[in-house]
Each structure stands twice: as structure tokens, then as C-alpha cells.
């Protein structure tokens, strides 16, 4: 069965894969208003098909307010867990208070398990 986000899209979205009852979407590179559309499509498709969406941001080098806005919108639509954020994203989440709203985990495995 083909899942959401299982194709490479314009460099910011990697291959997705099933994880338990959820789907992992891998993002990488710089995520801003000019590059965000493929990720938004992959996350929306995953949320439509799976009760849990894990976003692996371990390879994201930059995220701006449009990226943060996407995460907050998706958080209200499905169970979203953010996995493996680097220093820049951790700082963005902390400065905006998003880390008190979003479920952030140190690894994909921990995000899938919810621990």
C-alpha cells in the first residue's frame, strides 16, 4: 500500500514511511514560504490517511514563521509529533512558546512511541 509522502518532492520532503499506526514524513533543508508547499502537501496527505503524523526535522537547517505556522495549524488537525529538531528549530520553538504547544521529541523512535 502506498502511503502519504512516499515520493521525493522538490528537495524538502524525503521518503515517508509507516510507523505503527502513523506515518513519518522526513523534511530537510530550508523551510520558508518559498519552499514550504511540498511539505504542506505531504503533511496534509499523511494527516488524511493516518491518525498520527511524525515530522522528522533532523535534517532541517532553517525554519521560519511560515513553517511554524504550518506546524501549529497541523497540530490542530491531527496528532502531530515533531522529531529530532536541531538547535535552530529548538530555539525557534522556545522563543515563540511553540515548544509548550507542540509535541517535540529527541528522535523519530521516541516520537512514534510517544515517550
Amino acid at each position: 500500500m502506498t502511503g502519504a509522502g512516499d515520493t521525493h518532492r522538490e528537495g524538502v520532503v524525503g521518503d515517508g514511511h509507516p510507523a505503527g499506526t502513523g506515518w513519518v514524513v522526513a523534511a530537510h533543508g530550508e523551510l520558508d514560504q518559498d519552499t514550504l508547499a511540498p511539505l504542506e502537501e505531504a503533511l496534509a496527505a499523511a494527516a488524511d490517511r493516518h491518525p498520527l503524523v511524525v515530522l522528522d526535522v533532523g535534517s532541517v537547517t532553517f525554519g521560519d514563521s511560515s513553517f511554524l505556522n504550518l506546524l501549529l495549524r497541523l497540530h490542530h488537525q491531527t496528532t502531530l509529533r515533531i522529531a529530532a529538531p536541531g538547535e535552530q528549530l529548538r530555539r525557534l520553538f522556545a522563543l515563540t512558546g511553540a515548544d509548550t504547544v507542540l509535541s517535540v521529541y529527541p528522535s523519530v523512535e521516541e516520537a512514534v512511541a510517544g515517550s
Side-chain angles (χ1 to χ4, degrees):
M1 179 176 157
T2 299
D6 59 355
T7 59
H8 191 75
R9 298 184 183 166
E10 297 180 15
V12 297
V13 180
D15 291 339
H17 60 88
T21 61
W23 190 262
V24 176
V25 175
H28 37 106
E30 295 186 5
L31 297 169
D32 58 32
Q33 67 181 5
D34 296 328
T35 62
L36 206 56
L39 179 60
E40 187 168 8
E41 292 172 20
L43 289 171
D48 284 346
R49 296 184 182 126
H50 303 279
L52 168 65
V53 177
V54 173
L55 177 58
D56 178 357
V57 294
S59 296
V60 171
T61 57
F62 174 79
D64 72 357
S65 61
S66 58
F67 171 63
L68 183 58
N69 190 21
L70 170 63
L71 297 181
L72 293 170
R73 283 193 322 266
L74 192 64
H75 165 75
H76 291 289
Q77 297 170 352
T78 190
T79 301
L80 174 66
R81 296 179 184 159
I82 311 299
E87 181 61 32
Q88 191 271 331
L89 290 183
R90 285 194 308 268
R91 197 171 37 240
L92 175 68
F93 297 157
L95 287 171
T96 60
D99 59 349
T100 64
V101 176
L102 298 172
S103 298
V104 181
Y105 295 83
S107 71
V108 171
E109 296 76 19
E110 289 170 279
V112 169
S115 59

